[in-house]
Amino acid sequence: MEPISTAGVLGVLALGQAAGHLLNWYKSKRDGSFQEQQTFLAGVREKEARRSHANLLARDRSLAADRAREAETAYRRTRERDREMAAQREQDARVAHEHALERDRLLADTRAREATVAHRRSLERDLYLTKLRIEEAELAFERAQQLAVVHSQVQVDTQRELQRLAREQANSPFADDVEKVREKVLEKTGGGNRPVLIIAPFHYEDSGQRNGTAEPGSTLGIRQAWLTSAWSLDAEPFAGLVTRPLIWPDADMQTIRTTLHDLPVILVQGQVQANTRLWLSLSAWNLGDTSGTRIVDTHFPPMLLPGAEAGEKPSPLERLAFEDHIAELVTLTAGAHAEWFHILKSGRAPRLHNLLPADRDSDRRVLAANSAALYEVCAERGIVSPERARLTQAVVLAEGGHEARAVDVLRSSLALLGSTTAKGARDPELADLLSRLVRLVEERADPEAKRLFATALDELREQALLHRFGWGDL
C-alpha cells in the first residue's frame, strides 16, 4: 500500500469545503428556480472539476516528486549496497586469496615435510634392505659352509657306512643282506609257526678250509639225515642261508642271533681243531623260554675224527660212518628242540619218543622224561587243561619206559582226575588217554607197578563215583 501524499490530503479537504458551500447555497437558494439551480450547480460542478483537476495535477506532481525522490533514494541505496557488496566481495576475495596462500603454504610445508619423511624413510628402508641383504648373504654363506660341511660329513659317513656294510657283508656268515635273510626265514618258517634248521659249514682251524662239504661232519649228511627222519616236518631245513663256516663263533653267532632274534631258530655248527678233534654245538632260541633264557646252547663232547689216533687218512666208509654218527646226533637233538617248540606253542602231545627206532630205548626214555616235564609248563600257561596235562604226562612216561613214574603221576592227580573221569562220556580224549595208559601199564610194567596202578584205578573210580553223586573228596 502506497503512502497518502500531501496533495491528496489537500484535495480531500477542498472537496469537503466545496461540499459544505454547495450545501449552504442549496439551503439558501432552495426556493430559486430550477434553471438557476441547474446553472448554479453546473458552475459549481465546473469549479469543482477544475479544482479537482488541479488537485489531481498537484497530487500527480507530488506523487511524481515523491517517486523521483524514492527512486533517487533507492538508486542511492542500490549504489551504496553495490559499493558495499563490491567492497565485501573484494574483502572476501582478498581473505580467500590470503586463505588460499596460507593453505598453499601449509600444503607446501606439509608436502615438504612428507617428502622429507618419505626420503628419510626411503633412506632407512634402503639401509635396512642393504643390511638385510648383507645378513642374508652372510647367512647364505654360512649355510653354504654348513651345507658343505654337512655334505662332506654325509659323504664321509656314507663312505664309512658303505665300508662298514662292505666289511659286514664280507664278514657276514650270510650270502644275502639282513632284510633278504629275514624275508627268506619268515617264508620258510611260515611266519614263525615252526623252527628253521640252519646248518653252518664246519670250520677247520688249521687247514683254513671254508667249506666242510668234503670233510667229516658235512652239511649234506646232516640235511639228508633230517629230511629222511620221521620228524622232519617239525622244522624246516635251510641249506645255503649260512654260506661260510663260523670262523669267529662268538661274533658270527651274535650276528645270526641279532638278525633272527624274534624267529624260532635251531643252528648247528662245528669247529674242527687241528684236523683231529670236532667240537659240535647246537644253539636254539625262541622255542618257548623253557630254561629262563631265550637261547639254549647244547655243546656235545669233543669227538676225534676217524683215523686221528692212528695218524692215518680215513677210508671213505669210515668218513661216512662218522658223518652218519654226527648227523644222527644233530637230527635227534634238533628234533627234541623242535618238539619243545610245538609243545610249548600249541600244546601238541609229545610224539618224538614214539618215532624213534626200537633199538633207541635209552634215547626214548630221556626224550619222554623231558617232554613230560615240558607238558607241565603247558598246564601252567593254560595251553592245555590240568587233567589233560596229567594224563598226557603219565602216558608219555609209560611210553618212554617210566611206568612207575607214570603210576606216581596218576596217583598224585586222583582228586583232579576223579571229577574229570566222572565226565568221561562227554570227554572222549581223556577217556582215550586213560585207556592208553591202562594198556601200556598192563603190557610193560612190573608186578609191583601193576599192583600200584590197579590200586590207583580203584581210587580213581571211587573218586569219580563220589564226584558223580556230587560228594567231592569225601
Side-chain angles (χ1 to χ4, degrees):
M1 183 177 179
E2 295 182 358
I4 300 174
S5 62
T6 306
V9 174
L10 293 175
V12 172
L13 292 176
L15 287 175
Q17 291 176 1
H21 290 303
L22 180 59
L23 182 60
N24 290 330
W25 178 82
Y26 181 74
K27 288 179 180 180
S28 64
K29 296 295 183 176
R30 184 180 300 173
D31 295 333
S33 63
F34 177 75
Q35 185 64 35
E36 291 176 355
Q37 292 178 359
Q38 290 295 324
T39 303
F40 177 76
L41 287 174
V44 173
R45 290 191 187 98
E46 185 178 358
K47 291 178 181 179
E48 291 295 332
R50 290 193 195 98
R51 191 180 292 114
S52 175
H53 180 68
N55 291 334
L56 289 173
L57 289 176
R59 186 189 66 182
D60 291 339
R61 285 194 294 273
S62 177
L63 288 173
D66 291 338
R67 288 191 183 97
R69 286 193 298 272
E70 290 175 357
E72 185 178 1
T73 302
Y75 177 71
R76 285 197 303 271
R77 289 178 179 174
T78 300
R79 291 189 63 186
E80 184 67 23
R81 187 172 66 249
D82 291 340
R83 283 195 299 272
E84 291 178 355
M85 292 179 65
Q88 184 66 36
R89 284 195 294 270
E90 185 179 358
Q91 184 178 0
D92 292 342
R94 186 168 54 255
V95 171
H97 181 65
E98 292 177 357
H99 288 169
L101 290 177
E102 183 67 21
R103 184 187 62 205
D104 292 341
R105 283 195 299 272
L106 291 176
L107 288 174
D109 293 341
T110 302
R111 292 192 184 97
R113 287 195 299 271
E114 290 177 350
T116 303
V117 172
H119 182 65
R120 185 170 61 251
R121 289 179 179 175
S122 177
L123 292 177
E124 292 176 352
R125 184 180 68 251
D126 293 341
L127 180 60
Y128 174 75
L129 291 175
T130 302
K131 291 181 179 179
L132 187 61
R133 292 190 186 95
I134 293 174
E135 292 176 357
E136 289 178 350
E138 292 176 351
L139 288 175
F141 180 71
E142 293 178 0
R143 190 178 297 110
Q145 287 184 329
Q146 293 175 357
L147 288 176
V149 173
V150 171
H151 183 67
S152 301
Q153 187 64 38
V154 168
Q155 287 182 336
V156 172
D157 294 342
T158 303
Q159 189 64 27
R160 289 177 179 174
E161 183 66 17
L162 291 175
Q163 292 175 357
R164 185 187 66 81
L165 292 176
R167 287 195 303 270
E168 287 184 357
Q169 188 63 31
N171 297 326
S172 174
F174 300 115
D176 299 317
D177 55 68
V178 172
E179 291 76 11
K180 192 66 175 179
V181 169
R182 285 188 56 82
E183 181 181 346
K184 289 182 177 180
V185 175
L186 277 171
E187 182 180 358
K188 277 285 187 178
T189 61
N193 289 322
R194 61 175 175 172
V196 61
L197 177 61
I198 302 174
I199 307 169
F202 289 2
H203 172 55
Y204 295 84
E205 181 183 40
D206 293 341
S207 65
Q209 295 183 26
R210 298 295 182 93
N211 192 329
T213 56
E215 296 294 337
S218 68
T219 58
L220 175 62
I222 297 175
R223 181 176 182 276
Q224 292 304 121
W226 176 266
L227 292 177
T228 56
S229 67
W231 52 89
S232 60
L233 296 179
D234 285 351
E236 184 68 29
F238 200 162
L241 185 69
V242 176
T243 55
R244 66 164 176 79
L246 305 187
I247 305 172
W248 302 278
D250 296 333
D252 291 337
M253 284 295 297
Q254 184 180 11
T255 300
I256 297 174
R257 289 172 178 175
T258 302
T259 304
L260 307 175
H261 63 94
D262 56 342
L263 295 172
V265 175
I266 302 171
L267 175 64
V268 181
Q269 64 163 321
Q271 307 287 330
V272 178
Q273 181 182 7
N275 287 332
T276 302
R277 181 186 294 123
L278 171 64
W279 298 89
L280 182 65
S281 63
L282 187 147
S283 300
W285 54 88
N286 288 335
L287 300 182
D289 298 336
T290 56
S291 62
T293 176
R294 295 175 61 89
I295 301 173
V296 178
D297 290 322
T298 303
H299 300 287
F300 295 93
M303 294 171 280
L304 292 177
L305 298 183
E309 292 183 356
E312 299 176 354
K313 183 178 181 180
S315 65
L317 292 179
E318 291 176 338
R319 291 173 53 186
L320 286 176
F322 185 75
E323 290 184 12
D324 291 343
H325 174 65
I326 294 175
E328 183 180 359
L329 290 177
V330 171
T331 301
L332 183 58
T333 308
H337 284 78
E339 180 164 76
W340 297 349
F341 172 80
H342 291 290
I343 290 174
L344 296 173
K345 181 176 178 61
S346 61
R348 190 187 75 180
R351 64 184 185 185
L352 179 60
H353 59 283
N354 288 329
L355 300 177
L356 293 177
D359 58 347
R360 304 291 295 273
D361 288 338
S362 59
D363 295 332
R364 182 180 295 104
R365 290 176 63 86
V366 174
L367 290 174
N370 291 337
S371 300
L374 281 178
Y375 226 69
E376 185 71 27
V377 179
C378 291
E380 293 175 356
R381 295 182 178 181
I383 301 175
V384 297
S385 61
E387 57 272 11
R388 178 187 170 189
R390 290 299 184 182
L391 279 178
T392 303
Q393 285 179 309
V395 170
V396 171
L397 289 172
E399 290 174 342
H402 302 282
E403 294 84 0
R405 291 180 60 184
V407 173
D408 292 338
V409 170
L410 180 66
R411 294 180 64 187
S412 64
S413 307
L414 289 176
L416 175 64
L417 295 174
S419 61
T420 305
T421 308
K423 309 172 186 177
R426 294 192 298 273
D427 197 343
E429 184 178 359
L430 294 180
D432 179 67
L433 286 173
L434 187 57
S435 299
R436 287 172 58 191
L437 180 60
V438 171
R439 185 174 63 254
L440 288 170
V441 172
E442 288 179 352
E443 292 176 356
R444 303 181 183 182
D446 55 43
E448 180 62 21
K450 290 180 179 180
R451 184 185 66 79
L452 293 175
F453 184 69
T455 303
L457 286 181
D458 292 337
E459 294 180 1
L460 180 59
R461 294 188 187 96
E462 181 180 354
Q463 290 287 340
L465 183 61
L466 292 175
H467 279 282
R468 186 169 299 173
F469 285 102
W471 294 341
D473 297 330
L474 296 178

